[in-house]
Amino acid sequence: MLDVDAILHGGEVLLRRFGENTQEELQIINKLVATSQQYQRLQEEREILAQTKRKKIVRISNDKGVDIAVSDADIQEQISVFDDEIKEFMTSPMTSKHKNSILLINQDLHELEVSDLDNDRKSKRIQRLWLAVLFG
């Protein structure tokens, strides 16, 4: 005949194991959810930083359209930010023609850096180079 106590005990053991396994799986799922949320926040912050960097390159004049004196430090900051953007572009998949265009723009940027032009003209040319990268 059936041993009810043995069956009940076996059922309790199975239920306990199931609960333990379920807890482990829930912990794993919770960790995955937390990691996913962190990744999404990092991606959002990365995009905000990228937009801020792009704005630094383009900013030249104030709201009234009056030119602001561009310092050597401003030029260096624009070139540094532009360099960072070019490095990011170069890691993304692109055609060899596009890659060559980016390399030529990078070369123009560094030639502009050491040129004898005044800072205002350098800054405006950096802007044009940046637009060439964005809109090819």
Side-chain angles (χ1 to χ4, degrees), residues 84-102:
D84 291 344
E85 289 297 313
I86 287 175
K87 287 174 188 169
E88 284 187 41
F89 273 116
M90 295 303 286
T91 61
S92 63
M94 65 179 85
T95 64
S96 59
K97 183 179 179 181
H98 190 223
K99 188 175 260 189
N100 286 339
S101 296
I102 299 292

Side-chain angles (χ1 to χ4, degrees), residues 75-90:
I75 295 297
Q76 287 306 313
E77 179 184 26
Q78 289 175 343
I79 289 172
S80 174
V81 169
F82 203 157
D83 270 338
D84 291 344
E85 289 297 313
I86 287 175
K87 287 174 188 169
E88 284 187 41
F89 273 116
M90 295 303 286

Side-chain angles (χ1 to χ4, degrees), residues 39-99:
Y39 178 76
Q40 288 174 345
R41 279 193 302 273
L42 288 173
Q43 287 297 95
E44 290 168 1
E45 290 174 9
R46 182 176 179 223
E47 183 57 34
I48 290 169
L49 285 172
Q51 289 173 0
T52 302
K53 286 176 11 178
R54 289 181 192 112
K55 287 178 184 177
K56 284 182 180 180
I57 292 172
V58 178
R59 73 169 163 77
I60 298 295
S61 57
N62 62 15
D63 298 342
K64 299 174 187 170
V66 177
D67 287 341
I68 297 174
V70 180
S71 69
D72 290 339
D74 292 332
I75 295 297
Q76 287 306 313
E77 179 184 26
Q78 289 175 343
I79 289 172
S80 174
V81 169
F82 203 157
D83 270 338
D84 291 344
E85 289 297 313
I86 287 175
K87 287 174 188 169
E88 284 187 41
F89 273 116
M90 295 303 286
T91 61
S92 63
M94 65 179 85
T95 64
S96 59
K97 183 179 179 181
H98 190 223
K99 188 175 260 189

Side-chain angles (χ1 to χ4, degrees), residues 89 97-98 101-102 105 128-136:
F89 273 116
K97 183 179 179 181
H98 190 223
S101 296
I102 299 292
I105 289 171
R128 279 186 247 146
L129 288 174
W130 177 244
L131 292 174
V133 168
L134 291 179
F135 302 111

